Amino acid sequence: CQPNMWTEWVFSIVYSETWMVPVLYFRAHWMDGEVLSRKQVLDFLISDDFANEDEEWDFISQEEHPENGFPSFFLHPCRTSERIDMLFSADSHNNKDIVSSGCLLLSWLSLILPAVKFEISPRDYLHLKGLLRKPK
């Protein structure tokens, strides 16, 4: 890593027709414009507790962004369906409301964003959930 330099991370969500789930894509670069390598991204994301477990981080891959063509990292969608099913089972009496209001995407984001060291605070989650449930 470059000491004393800031990085910028740009996130986007793209629906995967292949996996039939949302996929989190991201780019990371130093403020001078130099793109972070996969190793630099993993060095940033992996805490000291997991420093010797690179194989556990194979869910972060790199490919061309499907919409803009930029080289991007993404959280591999292979287990996303399983996680979404878990969200449904956790709140089975409210499933229709979750899907129709957009709360499913918000809940999914709250599960996956910690993998890239970003979190939605409980206060913000509740605020956003309230906004999504307001009648149009």
Side-chain angles (χ1 to χ4, degrees):
C1 294
Q2 298 179 10
N4 301 321
M5 289 206 49
W6 290 87
T7 57
E8 180 177 71
W9 295 62
V10 178
F11 296 91
S12 64
I13 299 168
V14 177
Y15 184 79
S16 167
E17 294 292 334
T18 303
W19 293 90
M20 298 173 44
V21 294
V23 179
L24 182 71
Y25 282 83
F26 62 96
R27 291 188 341 257
H29 59 86
W30 299 106
M31 293 310 289
D32 66 4
E34 181 185 346
V35 176
L36 272 69
S37 67
R38 184 172 192 278
K39 181 181 179 339
Q40 289 171 318
V41 166
L42 292 179
D43 286 347
F44 180 79
L45 295 178
I46 299 173
S47 68
D48 291 337
D49 297 338
F50 299 103
N52 295 321
E53 298 183 26
D54 284 342
E55 65 278 355
E56 296 296 321
W57 287 81
D58 61 357
F59 63 90
I60 295 180
S61 299
Q62 190 173 17
E63 70 178 15
E64 211 175 80
H65 191 285
E67 298 293 321
N68 62 31
F70 291 128
S72 300
F73 296 98
F74 68 99
L75 299 185
H76 199 281
C78 62
R79 296 190 62 207
T80 300
S81 208
E82 176 184 316
R83 289 182 176 95
I84 289 174
D85 288 345
M86 182 179 70
L87 289 173
F88 274 117
S89 65
D91 197 7
S92 59
H93 68 281
N94 244 346
N95 286 344
K96 185 178 179 184
D97 184 42
I98 289 171
V99 173
S100 64
S101 68
C103 289
L104 179 63
L105 187 60
L106 179 61
S107 296
W108 170 76
L109 278 171
S110 71
L111 281 176
I112 63 150
L113 286 177
V116 289
K117 292 201 174 183
F118 188 83
E119 294 181 13
I120 300 172
S121 73
R123 189 187 81 180
D124 289 341
Y125 178 89
L126 291 174
H127 176 73
L128 291 169
K129 188 175 178 181
L131 290 174
L132 289 169
R133 288 191 171 167
K134 282 186 180 176
K136 295 178 182 174

